[in-house]
Amino acid sequence: LIIVFLFVPLDVLLYSSASPAAREAIVQDLRALGFRIWPAIFLAMLVSTFLSVFVTHRFAGPLYRFHQVVDQIAAGDLSTGFKLRKGDDLVELETALNRAIESLADTVQEAQRPLKDLTLGLEALLDGAKQRPGNPHDQDLTALLDRAREVHKALGRLKIAQE
């Protein structure tokens, strides 16, 4: 666009001008403009290339890392933290993701503690009930214990950072 706005008006004047002196002056203006503008355009292209690579690395790098961390979380690994390089963009998203991971891991740990106690209590009740033959609650306790073990197994698939 710069070239079009700078050179086209002079080209129009060059081909519409009738006098040879005016044409010669326009040709001199075009040459002078060309010698000044082409190096500036080349330098601007180099600077914009450098800046685009620099800016995309500051933005694309964190996005790639976010993708990796979210994949780990989807696989059940809540022990992972998220850390950006110094100077990267998306720092607010890093903080929010780390808070979400920590909150989810805390919730899982809070659920595991009473579940373990519940499982142990059910096992003790079932052992006591089996010592008394004909107890009508044997099947109910066995079913509850099985469900508690299923939940424990499901929560056990999540990897949580040990403090």
Side-chain angles (χ1 to χ4, degrees):
L1 286 175
I2 292 171
I3 292 170
V4 169
F5 286 123
L6 289 177
F7 288 101
V8 169
L10 290 174
D11 280 345
V12 169
L13 288 174
L14 177 67
Y15 292 111
S16 68
S17 175
S19 86
R23 285 186 184 182
E24 184 63 32
I26 292 171
V27 168
Q28 293 302 323
D29 287 345
L30 281 170
R31 284 188 185 144
L33 189 58
F35 285 122
R36 285 181 292 184
I37 201 70
W38 287 116
I41 289 173
F42 180 72
L43 182 63
M45 286 175 26
L46 284 177
V47 168
S48 66
T49 300
F50 171 75
L51 288 176
S52 67
V53 168
F54 178 72
V55 168
T56 56
H57 274 81
R58 284 188 54 192
F59 188 74
L63 286 180
Y64 176 73
R65 182 72 180 119
F66 277 120
H67 187 271
Q68 288 178 322
V69 169
V70 169
D71 282 346
Q72 288 175 322
I73 293 169
D77 185 0
L78 299 177
S79 67
T80 186
F82 186 77
K83 189 75 174 150
L84 290 176
R85 297 173 299 210
K86 184 178 180 180
D88 278 341
D89 290 335
L90 305 174
V91 175
E92 296 86 13
L93 191 55
E94 169 194 16
T95 304
L97 184 60
N98 281 332
R99 273 196 326 258
I101 292 169
E102 186 178 325
S103 175
L104 187 55
D106 288 346
T107 302
V108 169
Q109 283 180 333
E110 287 174 18
Q112 284 177 334
R113 287 184 205 108
L115 179 62
K116 184 177 180 181
D117 294 340
L118 178 64
T119 304
L120 291 173
L122 286 171
E123 286 173 349
L125 280 173
L126 187 59
D127 287 343
K130 284 184 179 180
Q131 291 177 0
R132 288 176 262 140
N135 190 336
H137 300 293
D138 279 355
Q139 290 181 336
D140 294 336
L141 287 173
T142 302
L144 287 174
L145 183 59
D146 289 343
R147 295 296 287 170
R149 286 179 178 156
E150 287 175 21
V151 173
H152 189 69
K153 182 179 175 184
L155 289 176
R157 286 193 294 260
L158 299 174
K159 182 180 176 187
I160 300 172
Q162 301 300 320
E163 297 174 8

